[in-house]
Amino acid sequence: MSQDRGSFGRLGFVLAAAGSAIGLGNIWKFPYMTYDNQGGSFVLVYLLAVIIVGLPIMMAEIVIGRSTNKSPVSAFLQLHHPAFSIIGWLGVVTGFVILSYYSVVAGWTVHYFIKGVYWSVQGFTSAEAATLGDQFGAFISNPSAQIGYHALFMGFSVMVVIFGVKGGIERLTKILMPVLLLILLSLVIVSMWSEGFTEAMGFLFRPSKISPDSLLEAVGHAFFTLSLGMGAIITYGSYMTKKESIPRSAAMVCLMDTLIALMACVVMFSLIYSVPAVEREQFSSSIGVMFTTLPKLFYGLPGGIFLAPLFYILVAFAALTSTISLLEVVVAFFIDQLNWHRVYATLVMGLTIFAFGILSALSLGALTGLSAWQPLGDKSKGVFDTLDYLASNWFLPVGGILIAIFVGWVLPKVFSRKEVEKGHGSFHLHGLWIFLLRFVAPAAIGWIVYSVIFLGKSYN
Ligand code: TRP
C-alpha cells in the first residue's frame, strides 16, 4: 500500500511555487547582478528572458508533474520515456547540492536578524558601523557559528517538510508569502523618502549599456530565480489539482517573482544612491554586501531601528520557502520511487544534506583546505563556490534544456494540450508555447551551455 501523496488546496500551488521561486536569488543575487550589469537594459532583458524562456518552461514542468501526479523520476517512467528520467535523477542531485550551500547563506540571515534586533535595542554605534566588514569576516570563518546556523536552517526546513504538502508546505507559504509582501512593501515605501530614490528608479528603468555576457547572465538567472531546471516545479505541479489553470498559475508565479525582485532592487538602490558616489565603490558583487553595507544605510534612515531586523527576517522567510522546495524534491523522490515514509525520508535526507553542507559551511574561511579547493581551475574557489558554479552553470541549464525538448518535441502535442486545457478551457496560445519550447528556449539555454563549455564563461 502506498501512502497518500497529498495535494494542494486552492491557491496552494501558486503560493508554494512563488515561495520556492522567491528567495535569496531575488533579494540578494538579482540586485547585485543588476548593479554589476549597469541596470536598465539588463532588467529589460531579464524580463524578456522570464517571459520567453522562463514562463514556457515553468508551464512544461507543471504539465509533466500534474499529468502524472509523480515526482520527476517516476513521472518520466509513467510517461513511458525512461531515458528522460535522467532529468529527475539530475534534479535530485541538484536539489541536494543547492540546498547544502543555500542553507548556509540562509543561516546568515537568521544570525543577522538576531544581530539587527540587538543593534536596534542596544544602539547601532559608529564603532559597530566601522567594523561591519570585520564582523562579517569573523562570522563566516567561525566554524561553530557556520555549522550552527546551517543546522538551525536545515532544522526549520525539515520541520516544515515533515508535515507534508498541505499541513506543512502549503500552510507555511500561505502565512509567509503575504507577510513577506507586506514587509517588502513597507520597505519600498520607506525608501521612497530616501534621497536616492529618484536616481535608483532611473538606474533601474533607463536604458543602459549591455554586453552579450549580460544577456546570458539574465537567462541563467531567470532559471535560478524561477526554480526551474531541476524538477522543483514538476514536484509541486504533481500536487496541483486539475481544477487549477496551468497558464494562469505559471504566469502568476513569474509575475510575483519578478515584482519581488524589482521591489528588492528599489529598496537597495534607493539606499545605495543615498550615499555619495565616492563611497559607492564598495557595493560591487560581493557575497557580503547585504551584511556589511546595508546595516549602515538602514540605521541612517528615520525609523531605521525597525528596518534592519525587518529586512533580515524578510530574507530569512524568503529563503525558508525556497529551502523547503529543494528538500521536497529530494524527499518526494524517496517517497514515490522507494516508497519510504515521509517522516523517515525527510529526517534521513535532511540529516544527510546537513552533513554534506558542512563542507560548504567551512569553506568560507574556517578551513583553509576547503576554502582553497579549486577542482575546476580558476572557475571557482572553495567548496561553496564550486557547488554554486556547477549547479548554476551546468545542472540547471542542462535540466532546463532537456525539459524544453521533452515537452516541445517528445510529448505528443495532443497530450500537452489536453493537460493544459484542464482547469483552463481552450488554450489559444498552445502553438506559440510549443514553438518557444522547441526553438527559443533550447537556443537560449544551448547558448549558455556552449559558452560555458567552449568560451569558459560562468554565470553565477
Ligand atoms: N528560486 C530560489 C531563489 O531565487 C532558489 C531555489 C529554490 C531554486 N528552489 C530551486 C533554484 C530549484 C533552482 C532550482 O532563491
Side-chain angles (χ1 to χ4, degrees), residues 19-27 94-95 98 102 221 223-233 257 318-319 321-323 325-326 329 396:
S20 166
I22 297 164
L24 297 171
N26 303 60
I27 300 171
T94 312
I98 296 184
Y102 197 96
H221 183 66
F223 256 80
F224 186 85
T225 188
L226 293 172
S227 302
L228 297 174
M230 50 82 69
I233 302 295
D257 184 73
T321 54
S322 297
T323 53
S325 79
L326 291 160
V329 171
L396 296 180

Side-chain angles (χ1 to χ4, degrees), residues 134-338:
D134 297 337
Q135 291 183 37
F136 179 69
F139 171 61
I140 63 171
S141 52
N142 176 338
S144 49
Q146 289 307 299
I147 296 178
Y149 282 106
H150 166 53
L152 191 68
F153 217 87
M154 282 305 300
F156 289 152
S157 315
V158 163
M159 256 154 45
V160 179
V161 171
I162 231 170
F163 285 105
V165 179
K166 224 189 189 102
I169 298 173
E170 179 170 333
R171 197 155 57 159
L172 182 87
T173 48
K174 271 201 165 141
I175 301 169
L176 285 195
M177 295 317 283
V179 171
L180 192 134
L181 194 68
L182 221 64
I183 297 181
L184 195 53
L185 208 59
S186 43
L187 291 175
V188 169
I189 293 172
V190 172
S191 69
M192 287 162 100
W193 269 271
S194 70
E195 269 169 62
F197 180 72
T198 328
E199 211 175 328
M201 295 304 275
F203 177 76
L204 272 176
F205 299 112
R206 213 178 300 123
S208 55
K209 275 206 310 270
I210 187 142
S211 67
D213 282 357
S214 313
L215 292 181
L216 289 185
E217 217 167 304
V219 180
H221 183 66
F223 256 80
F224 186 85
T225 188
L226 293 172
S227 302
L228 297 174
M230 50 82 69
I233 302 295
I234 299 182
T235 307
Y236 276 6
S238 75
Y239 308 127
M240 187 192 211
T241 63
K242 306 279 185 198
K243 283 190 229 133
E244 227 95 358
S245 152
I246 294 178
R248 266 194 290 277
S249 304
M252 281 233 298
V253 174
C254 291
L255 187 73
M256 294 209 278
D257 184 73
T258 306
L259 276 180
I260 298 280
L262 290 176
M263 285 165 76
C265 281
V266 169
V267 173
M268 277 190 213
F269 293 132
S270 298
L271 291 176
I272 285 174
Y273 279 107
S274 303
V275 170
V278 276
E279 289 173 36
R280 252 179 255 149
E281 292 305 306
Q282 47 181 321
F283 301 123
S284 67
S285 66
S286 97
I287 205 169
V289 185
M290 207 163 82
F291 308 101
T292 55
T293 311
L294 284 189
K296 253 186 291 200
L297 303 179
F298 278 135
Y299 286 104
L301 284 175
I305 55 165
F306 298 109
L307 300 181
L310 266 182
F311 175 78
Y312 292 113
I313 197 82
L314 157 85
V315 189
F317 285 166
L320 181 61
T321 54
S322 297
T323 53
I324 57 177
S325 79
L326 291 160
L327 183 56
E328 178 63 23
V329 171
V330 179
V331 167
F333 166 81
F334 286 93
I335 294 177
D336 286 348
Q337 206 55 30
L338 302 177

